[in-house]
Amino acid sequence: QSALTQPASVSGSPGQSITISCTGTSSDVGGYNFVSWYQQHPGKAPKLMIYDVSNRPSGVSNRFSGSKSGNTASLTISGLQAEDEADYYCSSYTSSSTLVFGGGTKLTVL
Amino acid sequence: QVQLQESGPGLVKPSQTLSLTCTVSGGSISSGSYYWSWIRQPAGKGLEWIGRIYTSGSTNYNPSLKSRVTISVDTSKNQFSLKLSSVTAADTAVYYCARVRSGRYIDYWGQGTLVTVSS
């Protein structure tokens, strides 16, 4: 299985909004509404931010939102804050009953 | 609150078998619609899904690692384990164990354990 495609890096200023894309195929992202997003700070384990395309776990800020169109899912962070600076990974369930991750996107808050 | 903790050797010699165990606390490994998974991350690189197991013993593996991976579960000890055979330096990574809810997203992660493959 091939990794999902994410931009290597994105950046934004405090208060702005950014969007991270995650592109797969009809066998993963496009075939199921089972895309999740994870935030990872250096030296820490990843943290679930979005599941099933657009659902937020309890305790995650409503500044984080998710969507999907065709084979591409997106994570949007509004009202950027310094603490949002981290690596972000998308993941999708696949037709082979496996999970696949994206390559990760480094978010820099300017 | 569910907690997961990886344990095992931090150094493995090339061609040998890497063995890790994940101990689950704060809940029964057998309860609910959960799969239990292993993920790894080489230094400075992205996450790679290794495989998952259901408490029935049913498994799914990353096709790129399938020939070398075995994941097993011991419900009596509330643990699940990873074995990766014929390791090389490319298998050096932080290994995470995790709980997969409904088989499709990870809601709990262990803290991760660094395994280095070196002679």
Side-chain angles (χ1 to χ4, degrees):
Chain A
Q1 58 191 24
S2 299
L4 306 177
T5 300
Q6 297 181 232
S9 64
V10 298
S11 62
S13 299
Q16 289 186 332
S17 295
I18 63 95
T19 297
I20 300 171
S21 62
C22 170
T23 301
T25 69
S26 58
S27 295
D28 38 63
V29 174
Y32 307 90
N33 288 324
F34 298 155
V35 176
S36 52
W37 290 90
Y38 304 89
Q39 176 191 65
Q40 186 180 36
H41 287 109
K44 301 294 187 181
K47 174 188 176 183
L48 178 67
M49 305 303 285
I50 295 288
Y51 68 94
D52 293 352
V53 175
S54 60
N55 293 295
R56 272 189 315 275
S58 175
V60 172
S61 171
N62 60 10
R63 297 186 298 105
F64 292 82
S65 62
S67 62
K68 191 188 86 167
S69 177
N71 295 338
T72 299
S74 299
L75 173 71
T76 297
I77 308 174
S78 60
L80 266 181
Q81 299 180 0
E83 69 222 44
D84 299 331
E85 185 162 294
D87 294 326
Y88 291 84
Y89 294 90
C90 62
S91 176
S92 176
Y93 180 78
T94 81
S95 59
S96 300
S97 300
T98 63
L99 292 179
V100 62
F101 286 101
T105 298
K106 181 177 181 60
L107 169 61
T108 300
V109 180
L110 302 171
Chain B
Q1 179 80 342
V2 172
Q3 292 186 313
L4 298 93
Q5 179 67 58
E6 305 89 350
S7 60
L11 181 64
V12 181
K13 288 181 166 50
S15 80
Q16 293 191 341
T17 296
L18 177 160
S19 296
L20 295 174
T21 295
C22 182
T23 300
V24 179
S25 59
S28 170
I29 201 171
S30 301
S31 66
S33 300
Y34 304 122
Y35 287 76
W36 304 90
S37 191
W38 289 95
I39 299 102
R40 69 180 183 179
Q41 185 173 36
K45 296 188 178 181
L47 301 168
E48 180 178 32
W49 185 80
I50 298 172
R52 68 177 192 179
I53 189 166
Y54 196 60
T55 48
S56 65
S58 171
T59 55
N60 299 98
Y61 299 128
N62 185 326
S64 68
L65 298 170
K66 188 174 183 177
S67 63
R68 299 194 292 131
V69 173
T70 301
I71 297 176
S72 58
V73 64
D74 187 337
T75 55
S76 67
K77 294 182 178 179
N78 233 34
Q79 295 176 335
F80 63 106
S81 298
L82 168 71
K83 290 189 185 301
L84 181 66
S85 64
S86 305
V87 297
T88 69
D91 295 309
T92 294
V94 173
Y95 285 76
Y96 294 98
C97 62
R99 190 178 85 169
V100 186
R101 192 163 185 132
S102 301
R104 57 188 195 254
Y105 63 90
I106 298 167
D107 58 354
Y108 286 98
W109 297 72
Q111 66 183 26
T113 187
L114 174 63
V115 178
T116 302
V117 179
S118 174
S119 56

